[in-house]
Amino acid sequence: MSLLDRIDECRRWDRAGYRPFRIADKPLGWVTHGFAQRLADFPNVFRVGEASVDLSSDLTDFASRSAAVAEVLGRFKGEGMIKGWRNEPYPVGLDFYAPPLLQMERAAVPLFGARAYGVHLNGFTGQGRDLKLWVGKRSKSKHTAPGKLDHLVAGGQPLGLSLMDNLAKECAEEAGMSAALARTARPAGFVSYVTEREEGLRNDICFAFDIDLAPDFRPNNIDGEIEEFYLWPIAQVMERLRETDDFKFNVALVNIDFLVRRGYLSPDEPGYVDIVEGLRL
Amino acid sequence: MSLLDRIDECRRWDRAGYRPFRIADKPLGWVTHGFAQRLADFPNVFRVGEASVDLSSDLTDFASRSAAVAEVLGRFKGEGMIKGWRNEPYPVGLDFYAPPLLQMERAAVPLFGARAYGVHLNGFTGQGRDLKLWVGKRSKSKHTAPGKLDHLVAGGQPLGLSLMDNLAKECAEEAGMSAALARTARPAGFVSYVTEREEGLRNDICFAFDIDLAPDFRPNNIDGEIEEFYLWPIAQVMERLRETDDFKFNVALVNIDFLVRRGYLSPDEPGYVDIVEGLRL
């Protein structure tokens, strides 16, 4: 086992099993050939071709696209095809900063291989060899990655919030942190990947934030999503990352990015270039 | 002008103007069609085809490949075709950690579009808004990028040294730093690019290191390559990066990576995703 195994978990994808999902001739994601066949039952919404699946060009704006897709997804939900329905609309578009082309239930986004965004907070205290990182253990009742190790705070990026506002909201819900404290977090880039998971094709950008916390800080989970928090020496985090897949797949990637940025990995060690190249698409 | 202009300077490359340069059927770089025609004059060394240029398969080891290529390069040097000859052998290979397949004069590496490696040191004091970054001004007599702004310390990665040993050597030559001080530098990932420059196709990985310096530290250039050093507030560095191309092209990229890693750029600002994606190939 090695850190490269964690990287490889974030690039498991056989493109031959997919065809592009497009809106207005622009590629927005990827659908499996099997799912494409299911979409062919809704010709007013999806034009299913051999080489691609296109959203109907009769759907020309955010509202009509979102409503038409929601109707199809409601049918799939009724058939038990979409698991872990969250009632969280996610934006789907070409560019993070442009108005989205439609919104879609979060649990369905991986079925379309569309890009989604999230915020991940590395919470630590101390520095160098003495740095300790906050680690959360996800509730066993969570639909995705139950019982896996997580960040101090992490969450999906919904419509209508800035990343920093979303981070502050998640900090309150997941760790009981004040807005003033949350806003001392500093952005630190992102990791990105396309990888096959049980829920579909995850095509994500995870924005990383770092927060330097006081030694006496204690998180307090409010929303029940985190069962327990640990404050681990960075060497222990590295060992768990290397030896196990206990961390949720994308949390591991953001953690490795943290190790790279803060000098815990040596570029003189074989594998370093592959690891760093694997952090972003 | 914006940071994206700096990124774009590191991805100026029209692939149609090149064909792959290969050794033992493995792609190692790119040569222009014009340069390929010049190489065709040396059929014992290069097999020039329409779709690729291959090193002769009669050259089967490091010594014979290096000697045969050196002879050709010596001819080109005599004709004035290779400018800025440095007498620095560079390793050329498939993987940074594997034994190189040959060595080649540094000034010729961009003619083959082969990957080269370097070390770049972000030297700073203070933190947050009060951080100041050391900036060097390159000597006007340097062959590449005379008079441009540079790091506190940066240098190419030669054969036979670890990155950290090379960094310590460059720290002594370029800034008069003790080995003990240099070795407090911490690795922080890398940037990478393929871009057309006057000297040819630069296909580089620049390993970034950060060093947190005392407020009274003063660099002292020994080798004459840096004319003057400045200690600039981070806001001034950002303004120069945004508004001018005063920084050497790859120094700008490593500086932008520093701004991203340390939270000086906001992911809520349009362009951020493009900028971060442009930091590595």
Side-chain angles (χ1 to χ4, degrees):
Chain A
M1 299 284 270
S2 79
L3 295 180
L4 265 175
D5 295 323
R6 305 288 86 70
I7 299 284
D8 287 340
E9 277 194 62
C10 295
R11 53 188 182 194
R12 271 192 325 220
W13 178 38
D14 180 4
R15 202 173 286 213
Y18 293 79
R19 62 189 87 171
F21 169 59
R22 308 191 308 174
I23 299 181
D25 296 328
K26 302 258 175 28
L28 255 91
W30 300 89
V31 293
T32 64
H33 303 309
F35 188 57
Q37 290 315 313
R38 300 292 311 268
L39 295 175
D41 292 341
F42 305 91
N44 293 334
V45 184
F46 298 102
R47 304 283 156 85
V48 175
E50 285 294 310
S52 70
V53 172
D54 289 79
L55 199 67
S56 166
S57 55
D58 298 338
L59 303 165
T60 56
D61 60 15
F62 179 88
S64 64
R65 291 179 190 123
S66 302
V69 170
E71 203 180 316
V72 174
L73 295 179
R75 293 275 293 272
F76 289 160
K77 183 189 177 195
E79 296 167 17
M81 203 178 110
I82 301 178
K83 303 217 168 53
W85 192 275
R86 296 161 180 252
N87 286 317
E88 282 183 43
Y90 255 34
V92 172
L94 287 166
D95 177 331
F96 182 65
Y97 304 101
L101 298 177
L102 77 160
Q103 66 178 16
M104 185 189 286
E105 156 61 25
R106 177 175 180 173
V109 172
L111 295 175
F112 292 89
R115 177 157 271 184
Y117 302 87
V119 292
H120 285 246
L121 182 61
N122 302 294
F124 63 91
T125 186
Q127 53 183 325
R129 296 289 144 204
D130 299 325
L131 183 140
K132 291 181 182 176
L133 192 73
W134 282 101
V135 173
K137 188 178 167 68
R138 293 165 69 87
S139 160
K140 291 187 186 67
S141 67
K142 284 209 67 140
H143 183 265
T144 56
K148 287 279 186 186
L149 299 178
D150 206 334
H151 278 99
L152 173 62
V153 169
Q157 180 64 24
L159 265 169
L161 276 183
S162 74
L163 291 163
M164 190 46 104
D165 289 346
N166 185 35
L167 184 71
K169 175 181 140 305
E170 295 283 349
C171 281
E173 293 170 6
E174 297 198 351
M177 292 162 68
S178 72
L181 178 58
R183 287 175 193 279
T184 66
R186 300 184 68 179
F190 59 77
V191 303
S192 57
Y193 51 83
V194 176
T195 197
E196 287 171 351
R197 307 288 306 171
E198 195 187 2
E199 65 269 27
L201 191 68
R202 296 288 298 264
N203 175 0
D204 300 336
I205 284 186
C206 303
F207 290 98
F209 292 80
D210 291 353
I211 190 166
D212 190 349
L213 293 160
D216 63 354
F217 166 80
R218 293 291 175 275
N220 174 28
N221 182 246
I222 309 291
D223 63 8
E225 299 198 355
I226 295 291
E227 193 177 280
E228 201 173 350
F229 285 108
Y230 316 108
L231 183 60
W232 282 355
I234 193 70
Q236 184 175 351
V237 174
M238 285 174 71
E239 192 190 334
R240 279 286 188 116
L241 284 166
R242 280 206 171 96
E243 303 298 332
T244 76
D245 59 1
D246 292 346
F247 282 91
K248 189 179 166 226
F249 75 104
N250 55 4
V251 172
L253 203 64
V254 177
N255 279 336
I256 294 170
D257 176 67
F258 183 85
L259 297 175
V260 167
R261 288 188 286 107
R262 294 191 170 253
Y264 293 104
L265 302 180
S266 164
D268 281 309
E269 290 289 321
Y272 183 89
V273 168
D274 271 1
I275 287 170
V276 176
E277 286 180 342
L279 295 175
R280 290 199 288 267
L281 286 180
Chain B
M1 300 283 271
S2 79
L3 295 180
L4 265 175
D5 294 323
R6 304 288 85 72
I7 299 284
D8 287 340
E9 276 194 63
C10 295
R11 54 188 180 193
R12 269 191 329 218
W13 178 37
D14 180 5
R15 202 172 287 212
Y18 294 80
R19 62 189 87 172
F21 169 59
R22 309 192 307 174
I23 299 181
D25 296 327
K26 302 258 175 27
L28 256 90
W30 300 89
V31 293
T32 64
H33 303 308
F35 187 57
Q37 290 316 312
R38 298 294 310 269
L39 296 174
D41 293 340
F42 305 92
N44 292 334
V45 184
F46 298 101
R47 303 283 159 84
V48 176
E50 286 293 310
S52 70
V53 172
D54 288 78
L55 199 68
S56 166
S57 55
D58 298 338
L59 302 165
T60 56
D61 59 14
F62 180 88
S64 65
R65 291 181 190 123
S66 302
V69 170
E71 202 181 316
V72 174
L73 295 179
R75 292 275 294 272
F76 290 159
K77 182 190 178 196
E79 297 167 16
M81 204 180 109
I82 301 178
K83 304 216 166 54
W85 193 276
R86 296 160 180 252
N87 287 316
E88 282 184 43
Y90 255 32
V92 172
L94 287 166
D95 177 329
F96 182 65
Y97 304 101
L101 298 178
L102 77 160
Q103 65 177 18
M104 185 188 286
E105 156 61 24
R106 176 175 180 174
V109 172
L111 295 175
F112 293 88
R115 178 158 269 185
Y117 302 86
V119 292
H120 286 244
L121 182 62
N122 302 294
F124 63 91
T125 187
Q127 53 184 325
R129 296 288 144 203
D130 298 326
L131 183 140
K132 291 181 181 177
L133 192 73
W134 281 101
V135 173
K137 188 178 166 66
R138 293 164 69 86
S139 160
K140 290 186 188 69
S141 66
K142 285 210 69 142
H143 184 264
T144 56
K148 287 280 186 187
L149 299 177
D150 206 332
H151 276 100
L152 173 62
V153 169
Q157 180 65 24
L159 266 169
L161 277 182
S162 75
L163 291 163
M164 190 46 105
D165 288 347
N166 185 35
L167 184 71
K169 174 182 142 306
E170 295 283 349
C171 281
E173 293 170 4
E174 297 198 350
M177 292 161 67
S178 72
L181 178 59
R183 286 174 193 281
T184 66
R186 300 182 70 179
F190 59 77
V191 303
S192 57
Y193 52 81
V194 176
T195 197
E196 289 173 348
R197 307 289 304 174
E198 196 187 2
E199 64 269 27
L201 191 68
R202 295 288 298 265
N203 175 0
D204 300 334
I205 284 187
C206 303
F207 290 98
F209 292 80
D210 291 353
I211 190 166
D212 190 348
L213 294 160
D216 63 354
F217 166 80
R218 292 292 175 273
N220 173 27
N221 182 247
I222 309 291
D223 63 7
E225 297 197 357
I226 294 290
E227 193 178 279
E228 202 174 348
F229 284 108
Y230 315 108
L231 183 60
W232 282 355
I234 193 70
Q236 184 175 352
V237 173
M238 285 174 71
E239 191 191 334
R240 279 286 189 118
L241 285 166
R242 279 207 172 96
E243 303 297 332
T244 75
D245 60 0
D246 292 346
F247 282 92
K248 190 179 165 222
F249 75 104
N250 55 5
V251 173
L253 204 65
V254 177
N255 279 336
I256 294 169
D257 176 66
F258 183 84
L259 297 176
V260 167
R261 287 188 286 108
R262 293 190 169 252
Y264 293 104
L265 303 180
S266 164
D268 281 310
E269 290 289 322
Y272 184 90
V273 168
D274 270 1
I275 287 170
V276 175
E277 287 181 340
L279 294 175
R280 289 198 290 266
L281 285 179

